[in-house]
Amino acid sequence: PALACLSDFTEMMRALGYPRLISMENFHTPNFMLVSEVLLWLVKRYEPQTDIPPDVETEQDRVFFIKAVAQFMATKAHIKLNTKKLYQADGYAVKELLKVTSVLYGAMNTKGVERADVSEEDSSKFKFDLGSKIADLKAARQLASEITSKGASLYDLLGKEVELREARTESIARPLEINEAEKVMKIAIDCVLEQVQKTKDMLNNVALDEANLEAKIEKRKLELERSQKRLQTLQSVRPAFMDEYEKIEEQLQKQYSSYLEKFRNLTYMEQLLDDHRRIEQEMFEEAANMLHLMQNRLKEEEQHLLKSGNNDDSDIEIQEDEGSDSEVEDRQIMKQRTATETLLQG
């Protein structure tokens, strides 16, 4: 396929009128000079006014040249070129060159017959990006809507033409009277003169207003100077009651300081009184709780003693020692009762 592409390329270049012979052996090894020369010739053949720089001495110049040619073909001819294959400048570059030459050869051929040996990539050379045409479509729609609206208005106006034609012909056929035209011109001139006079009067009034404002400003300035002088004199003169006022102010300051001190002491004493009352209340509540507990305990002891006394009376075989022990216990219980009574009385 590479040999077929190369043969087609040589034949197309010969048909397009390339001045130099291109053989199959030229692309066995990378030949960038020949590729750049062919590309520049094809670009000039497509558009003679292009200004692509032909410098390919350095590596940067070659890269820039390949990018410029690819961009030109993409924007102008909608042909997508592979820059890497073009930079290789070997048999793969011939396939990319064949895309451009086939377009030019098909344009030159009036019958529009396309060769069968062209690769499948040629089918994509006429594709273009629809995204760039969206703005044009919107503009076309807007223009179409404007055309319809203008056409409708024109149709309405043409419908009124039948009625207006007679009035227009009458006005055209009527002879021009010089006297009436002179009257109209005089009226227009008088209106213009009146407007001029009004503007002059307004200018004169503006000048008078300006003079009046300047006079008022001068008057206000004089009044301001007088008031400033009077203020200075009043500030320099000390009133007669100023000494007494200062003394009263000093006494007021002292009274205020003493008032603050007494107020602080009063608040402190009130706080202490509240704390003392709260402590007494807590002590009273605690004593009441203790008293309640003692009463409960005494009731429990009395119940216990009553139960033990009943048990002692029912027992028949009680020895004397045990009797003495019960007497001792009764004495202890009496002592406890007297102690609790004294506590309750206290």
Side-chain angles (χ1 to χ4, degrees):
L3 294 174
C5 291
L6 186 57
S7 62
D8 293 336
F9 176 72
T10 54
E11 289 177 4
M12 287 182 184
M13 291 297 290
R14 191 183 299 113
L16 288 172
Y18 187 68
R20 179 180 171 182
L21 264 187
I22 299 173
S23 63
M24 296 182 181
E25 296 177 359
N26 293 125
F27 295 96
H28 284 305
T29 57
N31 192 356
F32 191 84
M33 299 301 293
L34 179 60
V35 173
S36 63
E37 185 178 353
V38 171
L39 282 172
L40 189 61
W41 186 81
L42 290 172
V43 170
K44 293 290 184 183
R45 185 67 182 269
Y46 193 88
E47 188 174 353
Q49 296 179 357
T50 55
D51 53 351
I52 294 175
D55 297 332
V56 290
E57 295 295 330
T58 61
E59 183 179 357
Q60 293 180 355
D61 294 338
R62 292 180 181 181
V63 173
F64 182 78
F65 176 80
I66 294 294
K67 286 183 177 180
V69 172
Q71 187 176 3
F72 175 80
M73 287 297 173
T75 54
K76 298 294 184 180
H78 301 291
I79 299 171
K80 186 177 180 181
L81 298 175
N82 194 342
T83 55
K84 292 182 180 179
K85 292 181 180 180
L86 287 174
Y87 191 80
Q88 289 176 4
D90 52 3
Y92 292 99
V94 177
K95 293 182 179 181
E96 303 299 321
L97 293 171
L98 192 60
K99 295 178 182 180
V100 184
T101 54
S102 61
V103 174
L104 294 173
Y105 184 76
M108 187 184 69
N109 192 3
T110 56
K111 293 181 181 180
V113 179
E114 297 180 355
R115 298 183 62 89
D117 296 332
V118 180
S119 62
E120 295 179 356
E121 294 178 356
D122 294 335
S123 61
S124 64
K125 62 189 175 184
F126 296 107
K127 293 180 181 179
F128 58 94
D129 189 7
L130 289 174
S132 61
K133 302 295 182 180
I134 293 174
D136 297 336
L137 290 172
K138 289 181 179 179
R141 287 178 181 176
Q142 187 176 1
L143 289 173
S145 62
E146 288 179 359
I147 287 167
T148 53
S149 62
K150 295 290 184 183
S153 61
L154 183 61
Y155 179 78
D156 295 334
L157 292 173
L158 289 174
K160 296 178 182 178
E161 177 63 20
V162 179
E163 298 176 358
L164 298 175
R165 188 182 299 169
E166 296 178 358
R168 186 171 65 250
T169 54
E170 288 179 1
S171 61
I172 291 170
R174 188 175 58 187
L176 183 64
E177 294 181 0
I178 297 173
N179 294 325
E180 291 181 359
E182 188 177 358
K183 287 180 181 179
V184 172
M185 292 297 293
K186 284 181 179 180
I187 292 168
I189 290 166
D190 293 335
C191 291
V192 172
L193 291 174
E194 287 180 0
Q195 290 180 359
V196 172
Q197 189 64 33
K198 286 179 181 179
T199 53
K200 286 181 179 180
D201 294 337
M202 289 173 67
L203 290 172
N204 293 327
N205 292 328
V206 168
L208 292 172
D209 293 337
E210 186 177 0
N212 292 326
L213 288 173
E214 288 180 355
K216 287 181 180 179
I217 289 167
E218 292 293 333
K219 187 176 180 181
R220 295 294 181 184
K221 285 181 179 179
L222 293 172
E223 290 178 357
L224 179 62
E225 290 178 357
R226 291 173 185 172
S227 60
Q228 287 180 352
K229 288 179 180 179
R230 187 176 179 184
L231 178 63
Q232 290 176 0
T233 54
L234 290 172
Q235 288 177 352
S236 61
V237 176
R238 185 179 177 82
F241 56 85
M242 198 65 189
D243 295 333
E244 185 179 359
Y245 175 76
E246 290 178 355
K247 291 179 182 179
I248 293 169
E249 190 174 4
E250 290 178 357
Q251 293 177 1
L252 179 62
Q253 191 68 28
K254 291 178 181 179
Q255 293 292 331
Y256 182 70
S257 60
S258 64
Y259 167 73
L260 288 177
E261 186 176 359
K262 290 178 180 179
F263 183 75
R264 285 197 296 269
N265 294 330
L266 179 61
T267 53
Y268 179 69
M269 295 299 291
E270 288 177 353
Q271 186 178 1
L272 290 177
L273 181 61
D274 292 336
D275 294 337
H276 183 68
R277 287 176 179 174
R278 181 170 50 80
I279 292 167
E280 285 184 350
Q281 185 67 26
E282 290 177 356
M283 291 175 68
F284 178 74
E285 290 177 356
E286 188 177 358
N289 292 329
M290 289 294 293
L291 182 60
H292 185 65
L293 290 172
M294 290 296 293
Q295 288 177 356
N296 292 330
R297 191 178 295 173
L298 287 172
K299 288 179 181 179
E300 289 177 357
E301 288 179 355
E302 287 178 356
Q303 291 176 0
H304 181 67
L305 289 172
L306 290 172
K307 287 180 181 179
S308 63
N310 292 327
N311 290 328
D312 291 337
D313 292 335
S314 62
D315 193 2
I316 300 171
E317 294 179 355
I318 296 173
Q319 297 178 2
E320 292 178 358
D321 295 331
E322 291 177 355
S324 62
D325 292 334
S326 61
E327 290 177 357
V328 172
E329 288 177 358
D330 292 334
R331 291 175 183 174
Q332 290 178 357
I333 289 167
M334 291 300 291
K335 288 180 181 180
Q336 288 178 359
R337 284 182 179 178
T338 54
T340 52
E341 289 176 358
T342 52
L343 284 171
L344 290 171
Q345 288 175 3

